[in-house]
Amino acid sequence: MAQLPSGHLAMRALKQGGVDHLFTLSGAHIFPLYDGCRYEDVRLVDVRHEQTAAFGAEGLAKLTRQPQVAAVTAGPGVTNAMSAIAAAQVGRSPLLIIGGRAPLGTWGQGSLQEIDHVPFVAPLTKFAATAETPESVAATAQDALRIAGTPQRGPTFVDVPMDVIFSPAGEETVPGWRTSEPFAVDLDEVESAAGHLRDADRPVIIGGTDVWFGGAWEALGHLAERLHAPVLLNGMGRGCLPPDHELAFQFARGAALKGADLVLAVGTPLDFRLAHGRFGEANVIHLADHPEGLAQHVELAAGVGGDLVAALTALAGAVDGDGAQRRAWVDQLRDAERAKHEDEAHLLEAEAAPIHPVRVYGELRRVLDADAVVICDGGDFVSFAGRYISSRQPGRWLDPGPYGCLGTGMGYAIAARLAHPGAQVCVLLGDGAAGFSLMDVDSLVRHNLPVVMVCGNNGIWGLEKFPMQQIYDGWDIAADLQPGLRYEEVVKALGGAGETVEKAADIGPALDRAFASGVPYLVNVLTDPTIPYPRGSSSAA
């Protein structure tokens, strides 16, 4: 069998696992991986910051429902990727990070960027290891990829010493790809959950990211229709029920969770976004794609851990059809939804100066296609997006997830354009978030990946300024940015285009120009700095 550098063979092993892209920032420690991409038909996507590389891979994993890979150099390359690793751990994204590593032969002698990554990466990953022999590199990388994509999904890490990754190994060291089977559901658990569903008069279903990852959106819709139960969606669950479906709700979330006698949470953790699973007197049923994903911090009426399609299908077959009480419940919520929408509709057309942030979404709703990919990177500005922008197809919404890390925008934008080359890609940025990754517009330009960026520029850290003023009787500090900054000039300097908008009437024409431009284009909208997103007193509420 032919001998090839072990790094090249690693790419062959990953290609067998479905990897078609490698996100990276160039580093000598990982050159053989690049050589492997050349021969194994893997597209190399190089960026300006390792954070973007890692978030690019994580974003592509979310969009494709397949584990994806970023390769970073030793030391600071790995530490710069740590935020994405943490986001993938909290959000359960199937991400593999391959790190360079100082040579094994001189370990402990102070080589460039010599640091042992595994001890500080391991607490955030499902699997973390050093491949210490050329013969182990391909198999270790492929094992890490498989583990990342097996429920509960999450990040994995492999580093390879520089002298090992350049050393040859035999082609026989590349194992054949083995698929992982979904975790089987326990039918007794299903029957327990079905019993509570049959008894509920005011059930609510919440569908989250793993409904998308598990390919379970049709099964979710079938169960909802069988129960005649209202559905709320979060994370990448957005779009898993069309927004015009009679059981889909967006504005009546508070009324639904407050009035429910049973909450069925499917494929989403019971975290701060869902009041930590505490919904008054309502019974709570939790469905996760693995038993380890079931909530332990709240008393559950029932929990089912396993393949979500199988669990939802079995539940639909075990529950009664809808009744008069459930129909009255849905009608009640529809009235609340309609009233809330009517009460806030004027904001979508507001002509106020400075511009009300909701007006931006009034214009975006007009121009976004049904299959548009919407990316959120920010605080207050993108919180409005979650309220006013609906996903009409599954898998077309990307936000930072429960970890809440800013700076995901450019990596996610690259991923979205690669995954959906013919669709609109719209990145919604707060002006604070823009400061984390806007230099990677250069990567969009170099790789010919046009996207539209809309920056809600209010010159403050809104997610901090308003709560601080509440706590400290109107006082705040470290919450102001320079007002009116021309972020589009950065985009222009890097080869894109853009413009600043100061009048509400100019938003729509600017968006039309942006989507028609065929280049990375930033619409920099100066919004009213006195308007907070309405939320509880705690930013974690």
Side-chain angles (χ1 to χ4, degrees):
M1 301 290 284
Q3 297 274 308
L4 292 169
S6 65
H8 179 151
L9 295 174
M11 293 313 305
R12 181 173 296 178
L14 295 174
K15 178 72 174 182
Q16 289 185 3
V19 173
D20 292 316
H21 299 85
L22 182 68
F23 294 81
T24 193
L25 190 152
S26 187
H29 290 90
I30 51 177
F31 281 174
L33 297 176
Y34 302 162
D35 189 49
C37 289
R38 175 170 59 151
Y39 289 102
E40 303 300 332
D41 193 28
V42 173
R43 180 172 178 176
L44 197 66
V45 185
D46 62 305
V47 299
R48 296 292 295 267
H49 196 292
E50 287 93 357
Q51 173 177 280
T52 299
F55 277 125
E58 194 233 355
L60 192 62
K62 289 179 175 180
L63 291 165
T64 62
R65 300 187 291 137
Q66 298 293 327
Q68 302 292 340
V69 187
V72 296
T73 197
V78 174
T79 55
N80 282 344
M82 286 292 287
S83 287
I85 294 173
Q89 193 260 358
V90 175
R92 296 298 178 189
S93 300
L95 170 68
L96 167 59
I97 300 292
I98 301 177
R101 187 178 174 95
L104 193 64
T106 57
W107 190 260
Q109 301 176 31
S111 297
L112 175 67
Q113 298 173 337
E114 180 181 303
I115 190 170
D116 189 3
H117 310 116
V118 172
F120 61 80
V121 172
L124 292 174
T125 57
K126 295 179 65 180
F127 172 87
T130 298
E132 295 188 341
T133 66
E135 293 74 22
S136 69
V137 173
T140 304
Q142 194 180 88
D143 284 346
L145 187 74
R146 183 182 301 104
I147 292 168
T150 302
Q152 279 196 316
R153 301 169 190 84
T156 57
F157 176 84
V158 175
D159 64 3
V160 188
M162 192 172 185
D163 47 358
V164 173
I165 202 169
F166 275 91
S167 295
E171 290 182 302
E172 71 277 5
T173 64
V174 179
W177 179 255
R178 293 180 292 108
T179 57
S180 298
E181 295 298 321
F183 197 90
V185 298
D186 185 322
L187 293 182
D188 289 337
E189 293 177 349
V190 171
E191 179 51 38
S192 175
H196 290 286
L197 287 171
R198 285 192 293 264
D199 292 339
D201 293 325
R202 301 183 308 281
V204 171
I205 298 173
I206 304 171
T209 293
D210 284 337
V211 175
W212 160 247
F213 266 115
W217 53 90
E218 291 184 357
L220 179 78
H222 180 58
L223 175 61
E225 290 169 355
R226 182 85 173 121
L227 282 172
H228 199 71
V231 177
L232 310 172
L233 301 167
N234 72 7
M236 292 202 74
R238 294 170 66 101
C240 285
L241 196 69
D244 57 355
H245 192 285
E246 65 168 335
L247 297 174
F249 290 84
Q250 188 165 348
F251 287 94
R253 177 188 180 97
L257 295 179
K258 184 177 180 179
D261 63 358
L262 182 144
V263 175
L264 171 62
V266 184
T268 182
L270 298 177
D271 57 22
F272 70 94
R273 297 171 298 173
L274 296 177
H276 304 285
R278 297 177 179 92
F279 307 108
E281 300 300 317
N283 287 324
V284 179
I285 300 173
H286 196 195
L287 269 60
D289 58 11
H290 191 279
E292 291 180 0
L294 296 174
Q296 303 297 316
H297 61 275
V298 64
E299 184 177 352
L300 299 175
V304 182
D307 179 58
L308 291 180
V309 173
L312 291 165
T313 301
L315 280 175
V319 298
D320 300 323
D322 64 272
Q325 290 174 307
R326 290 185 193 157
R327 289 198 170 274
W329 167 235
V330 170
D331 290 343
Q332 175 186 335
L333 292 180
R334 185 57 61 196
D335 289 341
E337 178 99 348
R338 189 178 299 110
K340 194 72 171 176
H341 176 74
E342 291 173 353
D343 185 53
E344 299 181 7
H346 69 282
L347 298 176
L348 298 166
E349 301 176 353
E351 295 293 340
I355 296 169
H356 195 294
V358 174
R359 175 59 191 272
V360 180
Y361 297 110
E363 295 295 336
L364 269 172
R365 285 155 59 114
R366 177 182 61 83
V367 298
L368 287 176
D369 295 336
D371 64 348
V373 181
V374 176
I375 297 165
C376 296
D377 187 7
D380 266 18
F381 181 64
V382 301
S383 295
F384 283 111
R387 190 176 183 87
Y388 293 100
I389 298 297
S390 298
S391 289
R392 287 175 275 175
Q393 294 182 11
R396 301 296 173 126
W397 178 272
L398 283 176
D399 61 32
Y403 191 57
C405 184
L406 299 187
T408 61
M410 294 306 104
Y412 283 3
I414 293 168
R417 179 51 70 218
L418 292 172
H420 300 293
Q424 291 175 333
V425 175
C426 183
V427 185
L428 305 173
L429 293 165
D431 51 335
F436 283 81
S437 65
L438 208 55
M439 276 299 298
D440 258 304
V441 167
D442 169 71
S443 302
L444 291 168
V445 171
R446 284 186 295 106
H447 294 289
N448 191 27
L449 303 172
V451 304
V452 171
M453 296 159 279
V454 182
C455 181
N457 183 356
N458 61 1
I460 61 173
W461 293 101
L463 199 59
E464 286 68 40
K465 187 178 183 74
F466 299 114
M468 188 179 288
Q469 289 178 344
Q470 288 182 328
I471 294 169
Y472 296 110
D473 193 25
W475 178 81
D476 68 81
I477 195 169
D480 290 296
L481 300 168
Q482 187 173 333
L485 281 178
R486 301 294 295 268
Y487 293 101
E488 81 280 4
E489 296 298 333
V490 177
V491 174
K492 289 179 181 178
L494 295 171
E499 58 188 284
T500 287
V501 175
E502 299 184 51
K503 297 179 181 179
D506 295 334
I507 299 171
L511 291 174
D512 291 338
R513 287 188 288 272
F515 281 108
S517 69
V519 299
Y521 196 109
L522 177 69
V523 180
N524 182 34
V525 185
L526 304 187
T527 60
D528 191 339
T530 68
I531 298 175
Y533 179 78
R535 55 167 56 84
S537 59
S538 169
S539 61

